[in-house]
């Protein structure tokens, strides 16, 4: 097998972590950030950035690699949030044990709805995934056990609000990192190669011996699990869940837009999209005004879609290649 | 090796395939010809599990595979190409083949090993120079070779080729004929091919099935079939008597 040695060095999958040496540095800085006692505003802001990184990366397993655009990701996120809310509110369970259970319940939900929903393709899949979120919101609005339309409050941890924020800042940072690493691993693995083949041509994928329904199911469940986990942590952080807030369809749209903004074919795209768009969104809303934010946001997306249809990441790479010759 | 017994398939009122019997023996190169719309591709789609047969059976090594799903058929060792070539356009040539190697019958887990095998196959079809090019920038003849490499990547025993020669010029057809023989002789595959390019059919096949309106019109050696009056009529129409 001497041909393995002569791998092309520009080949995407053969890149090592070496190229991303600045990632650990940024991570350490982010991890240490609370030490400088920043205003709560920044902790909250960064928390939401991490949350969107986690959601967008996990969404990308189906949306980016497999080509199944889901608007139902918020349903898995909310399942996670409600799992921790109910477990704490009704049973007094500790947040750190139950956040991952949020992921487990979301995964179970994905397994149940995945079987019928994944038989649909294109717009039909997208619409049915949206319906999942809408129907679940209605159910949760009317379900006494989970607080119906009054929502559920968490009991706060017996620490100060600052410490509380700090803990969840760090937890969400770790979670976002874990999710990004998992998604990157999928992209470079046999699993990812199979998903990408499904995106490119599902019939051809079958002739390659890929059990396409099962592979899609795995990606769907993994994405739901990760989103549910994020939801579990989010619920604690907000200390309140309400169907109108957690099932907000705008969040689903935002995830999709972030992914397309950065470029949904690689793990770096959603990361960039989630960071840039959530920062832009929050900063403009806070310092300039919500109306201006909407306009700029829309403008930015129009520009990206027209001039960089493969996302900013791909565009920058292409420009870099052209400069290099 | 591959046998069909009374295979039928209809689309609404259209009988695409009626009571079609066929037999391909190990090591043979067998052709399937017929005018456009005569049901050739439908037969391939039934064999590979893309369309379920309405009635009849497909046997592979004597085992009933009529109800198998496409990926199960692939795992059994039956590979196919598509009439309208379908490279995975966004992926590089190498990645196209690598994915098939990974999920094929060898079921390789390591990307590096899969890539090594894929590169061997690209050399075999003489496409290794283009390995890093995206599928969409290949010209027609190269796309066909990629399609072939991808089919071979699952390590099949049996190969179904759907119009591999169409749209090729004379030199390319001659090259492709050589490649078909190479696939049979060096890789030991049995080949069943749909073809319109008569030169290719006559040059490669030892047995030919002729199909019209989903029904078998004739079967036999190329020279016999080409003299068969029913076949001539199907292709050229009835002779007018002055």
């Amino acid at each position: 097998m001497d041909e393995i040695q002569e791998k092309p060095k520009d080949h995407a999958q053969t890149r090592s972590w070496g190229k991303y040496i600045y990632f650990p540095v940024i991570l350490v800085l982010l991890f240490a950030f609370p030490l400088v006692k920043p205003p709560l505003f920044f902790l909250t802001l960064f928390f939401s950035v991490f949350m969107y990184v986690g959601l967008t990366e996990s969404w990308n397993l189906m949306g980016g690699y497999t080509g199944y655009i889901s608007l139902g990701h918020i349903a898995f996120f909310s399942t996670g949030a409600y799992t921790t809310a109910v477990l704490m509110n009704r049973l007094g369970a500790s947040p750190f044990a139950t956040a991952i259970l949020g992921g487990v319940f979301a995964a179970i939900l994905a397994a149940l709805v995945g079987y019928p929903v994944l038989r649909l393709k294109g717009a039909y899949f997208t619409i049915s995934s949206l319906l999942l979120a809408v129907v679940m919101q209605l159910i949760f609005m009317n379900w006494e056990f989970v607080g119906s339309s009054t929502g559920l409050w968490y009991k706060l941890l017996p620490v100060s609000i600052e410490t509380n924020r700090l803990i969840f800042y760090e937890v969400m940072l770790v979670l976002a990192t874990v999710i990004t690493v998992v998604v990157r691993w999928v992209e470079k693995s046999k699993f990812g190669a199979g998903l990408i083949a499904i995106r490119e041509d599902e019939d051809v994928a079958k002739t390659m011996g890929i059990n396409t329904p099962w592979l899609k199911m795995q990606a769907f469940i993994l994405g739901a699990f990760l989103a549910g986990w994020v939801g579990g942590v989010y619920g604690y952080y907000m200390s309140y869940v309400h169907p109108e807030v957690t099932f907000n369809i705008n969040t689903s749209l935002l995830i999709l837009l972030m992914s397309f903004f950065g470029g949904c074919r690689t793990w770096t795209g959603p990361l960039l999209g989630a960071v840039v768009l959530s920062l832009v969104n929050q900063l403009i809303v806070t310092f300039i005004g919500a109306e201006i934010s909407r306009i700029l946001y829309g403008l930015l997306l129009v520009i990206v879609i027209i001039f960089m249809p493969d996302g900013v990441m791909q565009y920058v790479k292409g420009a870099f290649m052209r400069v290099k010759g | 090796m591959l046998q069909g017994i009374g295979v039928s398939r209809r689309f609404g009122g259209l009988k695409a395939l009626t009571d079609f019997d066929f037999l391909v023996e190990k090591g043979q190169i067998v052709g399937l010809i017929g005018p456009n719309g005569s049901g050739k591709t439908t037969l391939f789609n039934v064999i590979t599990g893309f369309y379920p047969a309405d009635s009849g059976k497909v046997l592979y090594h004597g085992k009933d595979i009529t109800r198998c799903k496409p990926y199960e058929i692939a795992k059994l060792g039956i590979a196919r190409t598509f009439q309208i070539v379908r490279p995975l356009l966004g992926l590089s040539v190498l990645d196209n083949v690598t994915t098939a190697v990974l999920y094929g019958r060898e079921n390789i887990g390591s990307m590096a090993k899969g890539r090594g095998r894929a590169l061997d196959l690209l050399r075999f079809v003489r496409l290794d120079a283009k390995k890093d090019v995206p599928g969409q920038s290949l010209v027609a003849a190269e796309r066909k070779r990629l399609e072939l490499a991808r089919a071979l990547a699952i390590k099949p025993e049996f190969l179904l080729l759907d119009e591999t020669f169409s749209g090729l010029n004379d030199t390319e057809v001659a090259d492709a004929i050589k490649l078909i023989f190479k696939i049979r002789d060096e890789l030991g595959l049995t080949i069943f091919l749909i073809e319109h390019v008569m030169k290719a059919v006559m040059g490669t096949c030892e047995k030919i099935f002729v199909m019209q309106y989903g029904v078998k019109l004739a079967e036999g050696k190329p020279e016999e079939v080409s003299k068969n009056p029913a076949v001539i009529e199907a292709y050229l129409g009835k002779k007018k008597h002055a």
Side-chain angles (χ1 to χ4, degrees):
Chain A
M1 282 293 171
D2 49 11
E3 56 275 0
I4 294 171
Q5 267 86 54
E6 50 168 312
K7 272 180 291 189
K9 63 174 183 296
D10 58 341
H11 205 269
Q13 267 95 346
T14 56
R15 275 187 213 124
S16 68
W17 279 100
K19 203 175 153 230
Y20 304 108
I21 192 73
Y22 44 89
F23 274 94
V25 176
I26 294 172
L27 273 179
V28 169
L29 287 178
L30 282 174
F31 203 80
F33 179 61
L35 290 178
V36 301
K37 303 243 178 291
L40 274 186
F41 168 79
F42 284 104
L43 286 185
T44 309
L45 174 64
F46 282 19
F47 177 88
S48 91
V49 172
F50 303 153
M51 183 184 90
Y52 276 111
V53 168
L55 286 177
T56 310
E57 289 285 357
S58 60
W59 178 87
N60 208 42
L61 287 172
M62 280 308 280
Y65 302 149
T66 323
Y68 278 69
I69 309 292
S70 163
L71 285 175
H73 212 54
I74 199 67
F76 304 123
F77 169 79
S78 301
T79 303
Y82 267 94
T83 305
T84 52
V86 169
L87 283 174
M88 176 174 240
N89 215 293
R90 307 275 181 214
L91 303 170
S94 147
F96 301 102
T98 55
I100 196 160
L101 278 180
V104 172
F105 275 98
I108 293 170
L109 173 68
L112 293 176
V113 299
Y115 184 73
V117 167
L118 288 174
R119 293 168 157 253
L120 304 169
K121 282 180 196 162
Y124 302 101
F125 171 80
T126 306
I127 291 166
S128 56
S129 69
L130 173 63
L131 285 178
L132 171 71
V134 172
V135 167
M136 278 187 63
Q137 187 183 36
L138 276 175
I139 292 172
F140 277 69
M141 281 290 253
N142 294 288
W143 189 2
E144 283 299 329
F145 182 69
V146 298
S148 62
S149 59
T150 46
L152 270 184
W153 289 93
Y154 289 73
K155 298 187 191 91
L156 286 177
L157 297 173
V159 290
S160 67
I161 178 119
E162 284 82 9
T163 320
N164 194 55
R165 292 268 142 121
L166 171 79
I167 290 169
F168 287 110
Y169 169 94
E170 303 288 14
V171 168
M172 195 53 107
L173 172 60
V174 171
L175 187 53
T177 311
V178 168
I179 291 173
T180 308
V181 170
V182 167
V183 172
R184 182 192 183 273
W185 172 81
V186 169
E187 186 185 315
K188 310 292 181 195
S189 71
K190 176 180 174 178
F191 181 31
L195 295 179
I196 291 165
I198 292 174
R199 175 189 74 204
E200 294 290 319
D201 192 325
E202 204 160 336
D203 282 344
V204 169
K206 288 174 188 166
T207 67
M208 291 173 168
I210 298 176
N211 184 347
T212 53
W214 173 228
L215 212 66
K216 282 188 287 185
M217 188 61 119
Q218 285 174 298
F220 197 53
I221 290 176
L222 179 59
F225 170 75
L226 296 173
W229 202 356
V230 172
V233 176
Y234 161 86
Y236 270 111
Y237 181 77
M238 300 304 284
S239 71
Y240 176 61
V241 286
H242 186 278
E244 302 244 311
V245 181
T246 55
F247 282 99
N248 190 346
I249 186 62
N250 283 332
T251 313
S252 260
L253 286 172
L254 209 55
I255 293 168
L256 190 149
L257 294 179
M258 285 169 173
S259 212
F260 276 90
F261 177 87
C264 58
R265 304 225 153 174
T266 59
W267 66 277
T268 46
L271 182 63
L272 180 86
V275 171
V276 171
L277 289 193
S278 49
L279 280 179
V280 167
N281 198 32
Q282 301 272 352
L283 289 176
I284 296 176
V285 167
T286 315
F287 293 110
I288 304 176
E291 299 81 11
I292 304 286
S293 145
R294 296 266 154 74
I295 294 168
L296 284 177
Y297 209 82
L299 205 63
L300 202 58
L301 282 165
V302 169
I303 291 170
V304 167
I305 287 166
I306 292 176
F307 296 104
M308 316 172 193
D310 294 325
V312 172
M313 211 66 208
Q314 210 55 39
Y315 182 82
V316 172
K317 258 185 210 162
F320 189 64
M321 296 279 252
R322 276 193 292 278
V323 170
K324 254 170 57 175
Chain B
M1 191 174 193
L2 185 73
Q3 188 180 14
I5 304 165
V7 181
S8 300
R9 168 75 196 185
R10 66 168 77 211
F11 297 104
L14 177 77
K15 289 177 184 168
L17 211 53
T18 311
D19 258 342
F20 196 84
D21 296 325
F22 65 90
L23 175 67
V24 182
E25 309 260 26
K26 190 168 167 45
Q28 281 186 322
I29 299 178
V30 175
L32 178 60
I33 64 171
N36 286 324
S38 59
K40 304 183 296 294
T41 299
T42 304
L43 178 65
F44 272 24
N45 281 332
V46 169
I47 294 173
T48 51
F50 278 95
Y51 299 153
D54 293 329
S55 61
K57 266 194 222 175
V58 181
L59 305 175
Y60 183 61
H61 286 307
K63 187 181 165 244
D64 191 349
I65 59 163
T66 324
R67 296 271 162 261
C68 287
K69 297 203 169 66
Y71 79 89
E72 293 169 331
I73 302 277
K75 292 277 189 201
L76 285 171
I78 302 178
R80 73 170 293 177
T81 65
F82 288 92
Q83 182 176 8
I84 297 152
V85 281
R86 288 158 87 164
L88 305 183
L89 297 173
L91 298 187
S92 74
V93 167
L94 185 65
D95 285 349
N96 261 276
V97 183
T98 303
T99 308
V101 169
L102 295 174
Y103 281 92
R105 303 213 308 149
E106 286 178 287
N107 205 12
I108 292 170
S110 137
M111 294 295 285
K113 200 174 165 204
R115 248 177 238 128
R117 284 269 300 117
L119 201 55
D120 286 345
L121 283 160
L122 287 178
R123 288 211 187 90
F124 186 82
V125 301
R126 288 184 297 105
L127 208 57
D128 46 315
K130 299 258 181 178
K131 66 182 190 310
D132 296 323
V133 165
Q136 58 194 353
S137 52
L138 295 182
V139 300
E142 292 167 338
R143 285 184 186 206
K144 302 219 165 196
R145 275 187 273 154
L146 172 58
E147 187 100 347
L148 214 48
R150 202 175 57 206
L152 293 174
I154 68 164
K155 209 160 183 127
E157 301 170 330
F158 198 99
L159 188 56
L160 294 158
L161 299 177
D162 199 346
E163 298 203 17
T164 302
F165 298 95
S166 64
L168 302 184
N169 66 33
D170 283 354
T171 345
E172 288 165 346
V173 167
D175 278 352
I177 290 175
K178 267 186 229 153
L179 191 55
I180 300 283
F181 280 119
K182 209 172 135 191
I183 289 170
R184 185 189 60 176
D185 300 334
E186 286 180 27
L187 303 179
L189 265 65
T190 307
I191 297 163
F192 194 13
L193 52 88
I194 293 176
E195 205 41 70
H196 277 303
V197 179
M198 279 305 147
K199 193 175 145 195
V201 182
M202 297 300 163
T204 52
C205 300
E206 50 204 88
K207 180 156 109 177
I208 292 173
F209 293 101
V210 188
M211 200 181 222
Q212 191 186 24
Y213 305 124
V215 180
K216 187 159 71 184
L217 205 60
E219 171 184 348
K221 293 207 171 74
E223 51 272 24
E224 291 165 16
V225 165
S226 60
K227 289 187 190 111
N228 185 320
V231 175
I232 295 169
E233 188 187 316
Y235 270 90
L236 301 173
K238 236 183 201 139
K239 218 180 231 173
K240 274 195 185 134
H241 295 283

